[in-house]
Amino acid sequence: METTSAFTLTERLDNVAVITIDVPGEKMNTLKAEFGVQVRAILKQIRENKALRGVVFISAKPDNFIAGADINMIAGCQTAQEAEALALQGQQIMAEIHALPVPVVAAIHGACLGGGLELALACHTRICTDDAKTVLGLPEVQLGLLPGSGGTQRLPRLVGISTALDMILTGKQLRVRQALKAGLVDDVVPHSILLKAAVERAKQERPASRRLPVRERILAGPIARSLVFNMAAKKTEEKTHGNYPATGRILSVLETGLAHGSSSGYEAEARAFGELAMTPQSRALRSIFFASTEVKKDPGATAEPQPLHSAAVIGGGLMGGGIAFVTASKAKLPVRIKDINAKGINHALKYSWELLDKKVRRRHIRASERDSQLALISGTTEYRGFAQRDVVIEAVFEDLALKQQMVADVEANFAPHTIFASNTSSLPIGDIAAQAQRPEQVIGLHFFSPVEKMPLVEVIPHAGTSEATIATTVKLAKQLGKTPVVVADKAGFYVNRILAPYINEAMRLLTEGESIDKIDGALTKFGFPVGPIQLLDEVGIDTGTKIIPVLESAYGDRFSAPANIISAILNDDRKGRKNGRGFYLYGAKGRKSKKQPDPAIYTLIGSGQKGSLSEQQIAERCVMMMLNEAARCFDEQVVRSARDGDIGAVFGIGFPPFLGGPFRYMDSLGAGEVVAILQRLATQFGPRFTPCDALTRMAEQGLTFWPANETETLR
């Protein structure tokens, strides 16, 4: 038995063969092309051993079955034919597994995704553990691809068209109970008896093909199937606006297989996989995947992080409550909340209770898990119980004097080693630390709302922050389940700085007579998850615009908002979704009526709806303002690299992932083209569009933000 092999075969005394998956030197099992030889050799041994009664595939990793295929394989392909060959190889191996003459069981614990699920689908039976770590899915669409090793053909035949479409088109992952209900797995057992249960199942006769529920059998008929695919195509187009070619190919490949048989379906799948791998959208999405992986591995500093045993949060508002929740539920750290009154404490505790109880109702966690996580959160109105906290995250109002007072309070009541992390969106961290006794332990940690959903945090050291403080804060952010990007301590930091001119331009378009829904529609069609005006409503108009004067003071007129528009909105008590009054009409429960902007806005700001610009022109103006500011941030080293800038924009404000982020997008256009567009817009609409010096210089010298080998960034 070779210890370096990723797949090893053990033949038990009861004549069941156990194939153990354990990729050497890796935390996660991923499938690589070179494993094909190993697997085929094992399958040959199994076919030749006539005494075998069954086969079990199981992982030796503690928390994953197979997390997918190694994406680097695709990066190495130069042509669609090479990528298609990868898919054909995967299909062939899965076909050989399925064709084994004895029952084959997949024993699944942990992540079973992509190629891992395709391997499990090739088995005759699937058993999984009842652990919360166990999830099953085909997330290839998130990389601009489709499942290429038979997943598009096997999944709909196992679980039905509607479930298969939902999983493959969205990359949705099913938890254990969902997978069992859908028929994706045949049994659920405790982790301790997984192998035993799988071996017993392998000794039984191979099960007959699963009979689909009546509804799914009806949907599989020619007329109903055509209707299902037409509806799915329409719904997908409404969501993606044609920006993600993988979704259309997924529908086509599934329909081909169901209408013309598996053989045609496999052929279409491999061809589509090869062609999609070469699209710019897939390249961009894969770049985001690689970049986010690198950011998560990046320690952020040269020093070793300090141990983290407990945390504290100052402020029990929306942000404080969210931060306390992720500290307890994700990092599993005891967290104590300090607020000036019991109402704030109760609000924060209620916030966590509601989020955790929802998980219980949806069967994502057990009630006992909810209770144990809630037990990690406590609160007080006085500075008691904080003496040994390793880090405190301050989430009070955006007031410099108040935040400086919080620093003084923490230094007086917390341990000498405690790190003070300020969740500020605009105030310079150097100013917050100006009166600190231990300024080296003061840092910014900027969360985005809602904390439990948004994946990004900005880590903001000031000039005096120590490397150990940076490293420890980055470590904490990762434990909280966030992707941390280290940015410079300059007004607006990075995300809000590039967002402000984008939203300001949308406000200008509004005053020029363009309608709310047309502006938002133009930017969602461009690829943003929501338009800039709706985003302002979601964030809170009062909160979202608070940073504008700070930026205008720091950088000048290009950050000035259109005269009086914001004050007119706020003076009419419009704060957005949170008080039910914003640019959009809200129902009793704060839900925006579909495509129903409030017409009173136009009268309020003295604007009609006489705009004549196309959606493309609207999107161009907003996006180019963002790109120009991103280039300035790069030049001023607000972000350390194009990688960090792209991750910050995609994860922080939903910059279209299929474009790869602002820097990869500018590289795809070319600096010369970006400069030319900005110069044209400056001539038409004013000097705020003047291309920054960095872009002009890059255009003249033919430079890019991302170098060709993408290993380090040019400055």
Side-chain angles (χ1 to χ4, degrees):
M1 189 186 298
E2 293 183 1
T3 56
T4 56
S5 176
F7 290 78
T8 54
L9 175 66
T10 304
E11 295 179 11
R12 293 165 47 103
L13 295 177
D14 55 5
N15 288 327
V16 172
V18 177
I19 301 173
T20 304
I21 311 158
D22 191 4
V23 179
E26 298 288 343
K27 188 177 179 182
M28 309 287 281
N29 284 328
T30 56
L31 298 177
K32 305 176 192 288
E34 57 264 33
F35 296 163
V37 175
Q38 300 173 19
V39 176
R40 282 203 163 108
I42 287 173
L43 296 179
K44 184 173 183 289
Q45 282 181 259
I46 290 171
R47 285 193 295 267
E48 291 173 349
N49 187 343
K50 305 303 181 185
L52 283 181
R53 300 173 63 186
V55 178
V56 172
F57 279 91
I58 195 167
S59 169
K61 303 295 186 190
D63 58 4
N64 63 93
F65 179 68
I66 300 173
D70 185 352
I71 308 302
N72 285 298
M73 292 189 299
I74 303 168
C77 295
Q78 300 301 311
T79 65
Q81 289 73 29
E82 289 178 33
E84 182 179 346
L86 279 178
L88 289 169
Q89 177 185 326
Q91 288 178 355
Q92 182 58 39
I93 290 172
M94 301 309 173
E96 288 187 33
I97 292 170
H98 191 73
L100 287 173
V102 293
V104 184
V105 181
I108 302 164
H109 172 67
C112 176
L113 304 172
L117 181 54
E118 288 181 294
L119 187 148
L121 288 169
C123 298
H124 307 127
T125 305
R126 287 149 297 282
I127 297 178
C128 70
T129 66
D130 57 1
D131 197 286
K133 294 175 183 175
T134 301
V135 290
L136 302 93
L138 295 171
E140 287 86 352
V141 70
Q142 295 167 2
L143 298 176
L145 301 166
L146 49 61
S149 295
T152 65
Q153 305 307 300
R154 287 198 169 91
L155 186 64
R157 288 171 172 81
L158 180 66
V159 301
I161 296 172
S162 59
T163 301
L165 283 174
D166 187 33
M167 289 180 67
I168 301 175
L169 283 172
T170 65
K172 177 181 180 180
Q173 297 178 13
L174 299 189
R175 295 175 184 272
V176 173
R177 297 297 167 189
Q178 295 170 307
L180 184 63
K181 184 178 179 181
L184 184 56
V185 298
D186 302 282
D187 200 4
V188 177
V189 298
H191 188 198
S192 59
I193 63 166
L194 177 62
L195 179 59
K196 180 182 177 182
V199 166
E200 290 305 311
R201 184 66 71 108
K203 294 176 185 177
Q204 300 172 15
E205 288 187 18
R206 185 190 299 187
S209 297
R210 177 175 179 264
R211 186 169 172 79
L212 291 170
V214 175
R215 177 177 178 273
E216 291 295 341
R217 295 204 301 273
I218 293 171
L219 292 179
I223 297 175
R225 186 175 66 232
S226 177
L227 183 63
V228 167
F229 277 97
N230 286 337
M231 288 177 63
K234 184 179 178 182
K235 188 176 179 182
T236 301
E237 174 61 26
E238 287 175 358
K239 284 187 175 181
T240 66
H241 304 286
N243 291 320
Y244 294 86
T247 54
R249 296 302 296 272
I250 287 167
L251 290 167
S252 173
V253 167
L254 263 73
E255 193 164 18
T256 295
L258 292 169
H260 302 292
S262 295
S263 180
S264 296
Y266 287 126
E267 184 182 326
E269 177 188 86
R271 185 170 60 253
F273 182 88
E275 292 171 359
L276 287 169
M278 296 297 114
T279 61
Q281 292 90 343
S282 180
R283 286 195 180 100
L285 290 164
R286 296 198 310 266
S287 79
I288 290 293
F289 172 81
F290 287 127
S292 64
T293 302
E294 289 172 9
V295 168
K296 288 171 185 173
K297 292 178 180 177
D298 189 344
T302 55
E304 282 293 313
Q306 299 169 8
L308 290 168
H309 303 294
S310 63
V313 173
I314 300 180
L318 187 66
M319 295 300 287
I323 294 165
F325 168 74
V326 295
T327 304
S329 63
K330 294 288 186 182
K332 302 293 190 290
L333 290 174
V335 56
R336 192 157 174 80
I337 305 164
K338 162 71 170 64
D339 199 275
I340 55 174
N341 56 51
K343 184 178 179 182
I345 303 297
N346 292 336
H347 173 272
L349 293 172
K350 182 184 177 186
Y351 192 85
S352 290
W353 162 264
E354 289 175 347
L355 290 171
L356 289 167
D357 196 50
K358 182 189 283 187
K359 287 188 174 187
V360 173
R361 293 197 306 273
R362 292 183 175 179
R363 297 189 176 183
H364 292 176
I365 62 172
R366 297 185 179 90
S368 58
E369 292 175 272
R370 174 200 62 200
D371 296 344
S372 64
Q373 289 178 28
L374 280 171
L376 292 172
I377 308 173
S378 60
T380 177
T381 56
E382 299 176 3
Y383 284 110
R384 288 189 304 200
F386 294 102
Q388 295 304 315
R389 302 283 156 167
D390 300 306
V391 62
V392 56
I393 303 169
E394 166 270 303
V396 301
F397 297 115
E398 287 286 277
D399 179 271
L400 179 59
L402 178 60
K403 288 180 185 286
Q404 288 177 337
Q405 182 60 51
M406 294 302 100
V407 173
D409 288 353
V410 166
E411 290 183 330
N413 293 281
F414 287 62
H417 73 275
T418 301
I419 290 171
F420 181 97
S422 176
N423 174 47
T424 177
S425 60
S426 61
L427 297 173
I429 307 303
D431 290 354
I432 294 172
Q435 299 171 15
Q437 295 175 23
R438 297 185 288 273
E440 69 278 4
Q441 290 165 219
V442 178
I443 194 168
L445 188 60
H446 179 208
F447 291 83
F448 296 84
S449 185
V451 174
E452 67 276 6
K453 290 182 179 178
M454 295 300 286
L456 185 80
V457 291
E458 290 180 309
V459 176
I460 313 126
H462 65 92
T465 304
S466 71
E467 288 288 303
T469 297
I470 300 171
T472 307
T473 306
V474 167
K475 175 186 173 183
L476 172 65
K478 292 173 184 176
Q479 287 185 218
L480 298 177
K482 304 301 179 186
T483 300
V485 172
V486 179
V487 301
D489 185 22
K490 294 189 176 182
F493 313 131
Y494 172 64
V495 172
N496 281 343
R497 180 168 163 186
I498 66 170
L499 183 62
Y502 166 82
I503 289 179
N504 272 350
E505 198 60 28
M507 294 296 106
R508 283 195 177 84
L509 287 159
L510 194 59
T511 62
E512 292 171 17
E514 301 297 342
S515 65
I516 294 168
D517 48 351
K518 185 179 177 183
I519 295 168
D520 276 349
L523 274 304
T524 53
K525 193 170 183 179
F526 182 82
F528 284 89
V530 296
I533 298 176
Q534 186 183 337
L535 178 62
L536 195 53
D537 257 11
E538 297 288 342
V539 171
I541 300 169
D542 56 335
T543 304
T545 56
K546 192 175 289 184
I547 196 173
I548 298 296
V550 176
L551 293 169
E552 191 176 0
S553 173
Y555 304 116
D557 291 344
R558 73 174 187 272
F559 277 95
S560 61
N564 303 323
I565 182 171
I566 299 301
S567 57
I569 298 290
L570 290 174
N571 288 341
D572 195 44
D573 192 30
R574 293 177 181 269
K575 296 178 181 178
R577 180 185 290 277
K578 62 184 176 185
N579 78 334
R581 287 170 53 80
F583 291 94
Y584 285 90
L585 290 170
Y586 291 85
K589 293 184 179 180
R591 294 179 178 173
K592 180 173 72 68
S593 304
K594 188 176 181 181
K595 301 297 180 186
Q596 290 293 321
D598 190 344
I601 290 289
Y602 304 111
T603 305
L604 196 63
I605 65 173
S607 166
Q609 298 179 59
K610 300 175 182 178
S612 59
L613 296 180
S614 68
E615 287 183 326
Q616 185 178 351
Q617 289 171 314
I618 290 171
E620 182 181 67
R621 279 177 57 176
C622 293
V623 172
M624 294 311 294
M625 286 296 289
M626 179 182 286
L627 296 182
N628 205 14
E629 203 58 42
R632 286 191 181 92
C633 288
F634 181 89
D635 192 45
E636 296 171 16
Q637 299 189 18
V638 173
V639 286
R640 299 178 301 169
S641 63
R643 178 201 73 182
D644 287 6
D646 282 343
I647 288 295
V650 171
F651 287 10
I653 54 179
F655 189 92
F658 69 91
L659 296 176
F663 297 108
R664 196 171 289 278
Y665 180 48
M666 284 190 280
D667 280 352
S668 70
L669 294 173
E673 177 65 11
V674 176
V675 166
I677 295 170
L678 285 166
Q679 288 173 336
R680 169 170 56 80
L681 292 172
T683 301
Q684 290 177 282
F685 302 108
R688 66 183 180 278
F689 284 102
T690 302
C692 67
D693 293 342
L695 274 173
T696 304
R697 187 171 64 250
M698 292 176 73
E700 290 171 351
Q701 299 176 24
L703 298 176
T704 57
F705 293 100
W706 284 85
N709 61 9
E710 301 188 357
T711 56
E712 63 181 49
T713 306
L714 296 173
R715 285 227 176 262

